[in-house]
Amino acid sequence: MNANHWNNEGFHSHLAEAERITQLAQAGEQMVERLRRTAFLPGATKALNVRLGIAEAAELLGCSTNRIRMAEQDGRLPPPPESDTGRRLGYDIPALLNMRQVLGASPRRSPEDPPAIITVQNFKGGVGKSTVTTHLAHYLAVQGYRVLVVDCDSQATTTTLFGFNPHFAIRREETLYPYLSIEPTEDSLHYAVKSTIWPNVDLIPSNLQMFDVEYELAAAGSGGGGTLASRFRKLKQGLNELAQDYDVVLLDPPPALGTISLAVMQAANALLVPLAATTPDFCSTVQFLSMMSQVITQLQEAGIQVEYDFCRLICSKFNSNDPSHAMIQRIMEQSFGPALLPIPILESAEISHAALRMMTVYELEKPVGTPKTHKRCRSNIDEAMGQIEKLIRLRWGRVDNEKGAALAAAL
């Protein structure tokens, strides 16, 4: 847009205020697309270029480097590609998944184990809900699990972090809308599942038009609870059907107490509540839990069951150098006890830098800041997400080692 069209305050001088909002939205959407294209160059398409050395691969697989080399020597595993100088370039994620299968190191659930359907939920925005969801998805992917991420939020931050532009690349027909609409055109959710650059992570995307579902379901609810209850049951049924092809399903609902959030709340079988270490976040989370308690009671009175295998809170933005954060963490511990996961997610420039590139820390080919900062961040994310993995595996009756058993007791 020509700069001459703007006055000194940066606004069109001849536009009404409401029209300016449209202009601002369009300008912002165009900038998002420019950022996406810049982040994903060359080709403007997101790619997964992470490679792991043999020591890191062995640690992830729980075996020795010698076992990997022997499997390569006897032909069970292909060696990693080499550079022109003969240097091993490391293993990509598909190679790592193949190694898990060949060496019997897959963590996948057995057919009799129920898939975990986890909603990452808080009614307050800005707590890192989408950041937790995407990092958890990618952590589980690296560990070898099959993951489905369902973006139920019309803001579509999770969809964006997976490399899809919700404004330009996702149509309403590709979201949950055709399934949850008052006049649905789909009877199964399989139509909405998209592959991602991660070979073992799929996504049901969202976009702004998902908000239409809120209007429709709210209108249906005002005329009686029957239609609303049927949609709640339909979402749960659809997710249960899809979940049979995965180990873990992660649900990212809107940060508000709306009909979609209620439907997601009752469709899940586990709850993870992220919150930051500030007084307003603590207070709003207490209100969230209070509202959830009331809503669950009302849903159950209406014949809609809500049952969770685990409910945990995780501090999602913790600054270990801030005394106020340490104080709030102690308040959380006193209030929530063992329901608060002991390892918080530390604030890190690496997470922010990765988000600027529409990535998670697990997708960075190399550190954005210093190697020390990256290593500290990655180690913390692994530990924090590992707490949730332990809860999932406990649900399947698995405790892998003494350290895992000790953490399980704490959880």
Side-chain angles (χ1 to χ4, degrees):
M1 186 176 291
N2 192 315
N4 293 330
H5 289 180
W6 298 83
N7 65 17
N8 291 333
E9 295 179 349
F11 292 114
H12 269 265
S13 58
H14 61 279
L15 287 181
E17 293 298 321
E19 292 175 321
R20 286 175 181 163
I21 294 174
T22 302
Q23 294 288 345
L24 291 170
Q26 292 173 347
E29 289 170 1
Q30 291 169 4
M31 181 56 70
V32 167
E33 179 63 11
R34 286 176 59 188
L35 288 171
R36 190 187 73 87
R37 291 183 178 277
T38 302
F40 302 157
L41 287 175
T45 301
K46 190 172 183 178
L48 186 60
N49 299 317
V50 174
R51 289 193 175 273
L52 310 173
I54 191 169
E56 187 175 1
E59 183 178 358
L60 284 169
L61 270 62
C63 69
S64 66
T65 56
N66 188 50
R67 187 181 179 198
I68 296 175
R69 289 193 176 95
M70 289 179 62
E72 291 175 354
Q73 291 171 4
D74 63 26
R76 287 180 293 145
L77 287 175
E82 296 182 349
S83 67
D84 294 338
T85 60
R87 181 176 65 87
R88 288 162 64 106
L89 297 177
Y91 306 93
D92 60 14
I93 297 298
L96 182 67
L97 295 176
N98 180 55
M99 291 164 73
R100 287 190 180 278
Q101 294 301 316
V102 171
L103 300 179
S106 174
R108 292 181 179 181
R109 65 183 178 87
S110 59
E112 61 269 17
D113 293 327
I117 304 177
I118 305 172
T119 176
V120 183
Q121 199 153 4
N122 196 326
F123 294 161
K124 183 182 184 303
V127 296
K129 183 170 57 68
S130 296
T131 299
V132 171
T133 301
T134 48
H135 277 85
L136 179 56
H138 294 168
Y139 166 84
L140 293 170
V142 171
Q143 302 302 316
Y145 297 90
R146 300 165 298 171
V147 183
L148 172 66
V149 179
V150 185
D151 193 352
C152 313
D153 186 355
S154 60
Q155 296 180 67
T157 304
T158 294
T159 297
T160 301
L161 287 172
F162 270 96
F164 298 95
N165 189 313
H167 302 290
F168 296 98
I170 302 298
R171 296 175 294 112
R172 186 171 72 172
E173 290 72 24
E174 298 173 278
T175 70
L176 291 174
Y177 180 84
Y179 183 78
L180 289 180
S181 168
I182 295 302
E183 297 181 356
T185 56
E186 299 286 351
D187 295 324
S188 165
L189 281 172
H190 287 88
Y191 74 93
V193 176
K194 287 185 176 295
S195 299
T196 73
I197 59 172
W198 290 82
N200 53 340
V201 181
D202 290 336
L203 171 74
I204 293 182
S206 182
N207 68 9
L208 189 60
Q209 292 172 308
M210 262 295 291
F211 201 73
D212 293 345
V213 175
E214 289 280 8
Y215 282 120
E216 291 186 14
L217 294 183
S222 65
T227 303
L228 200 58
S230 71
R231 285 299 175 274
F232 285 8
R233 294 189 179 97
K234 186 178 182 182
L235 179 61
K236 185 170 187 175
Q237 177 185 350
L239 290 173
N240 282 334
E241 290 173 357
L242 279 185
Q244 301 311 309
D245 296 327
Y246 301 92
D247 303 302
V248 181
V249 177
L250 300 177
L251 309 177
D252 185 8
L257 182 56
T259 50
I260 293 178
S261 292
L262 293 176
V264 168
M265 180 192 304
Q266 107 28 255
N269 57 32
L271 171 67
L272 182 65
V273 182
L275 71 160
T278 70
T279 301
D281 280 278
F282 173 76
C283 294
S284 69
T285 299
V286 171
Q287 291 179 328
F288 161 71
L289 295 171
S290 177
M291 285 190 291
M292 272 203 73
S293 175
Q294 297 174 33
V295 168
I296 288 172
T297 299
Q298 293 170 358
L299 289 173
Q300 291 176 336
E301 289 175 351
I304 302 172
Q305 292 302 309
V306 180
E307 298 177 355
Y308 296 138
D309 292 316
F310 64 81
C311 300
R312 295 293 186 274
L313 299 95
I314 184 167
C315 184
S316 55
K317 294 181 177 180
F318 184 76
N319 185 343
S320 57
N321 297 318
D322 189 332
S324 69
H325 281 214
M327 182 187 69
I328 295 297
Q329 186 184 39
R330 289 193 295 271
I331 291 173
M332 291 179 191
E333 291 169 349
Q334 293 171 10
S335 302
F336 303 133
L340 177 70
L341 292 174
I343 300 170
I345 299 173
L346 300 177
E347 277 190 330
S348 174
E350 285 295 286
I351 295 177
S352 301
H353 289 318
L356 184 63
R357 291 158 174 78
M358 301 184 186
M359 294 179 175
T360 67
V361 171
Y362 292 102
E363 295 176 308
L364 294 174
E365 296 178 54
K366 59 184 179 180
V368 179
T370 66
K372 182 179 179 180
T373 299
H374 179 84
K375 184 177 181 180
R376 179 172 179 262
C377 175
R378 174 65 186 270
S379 177
N380 167 250
I381 292 282
D382 284 345
E383 283 192 275
M385 299 299 104
Q387 301 172 114
I388 304 161
E389 180 193 8
K390 291 287 194 308
L391 291 168
I392 294 168
R393 294 182 67 78
L394 276 173
R395 187 169 183 262
W396 299 337
R398 303 181 198 175
V399 178
D400 300 320
N401 51 44
E402 291 183 6
K403 182 179 179 182
L407 180 56
L411 297 176

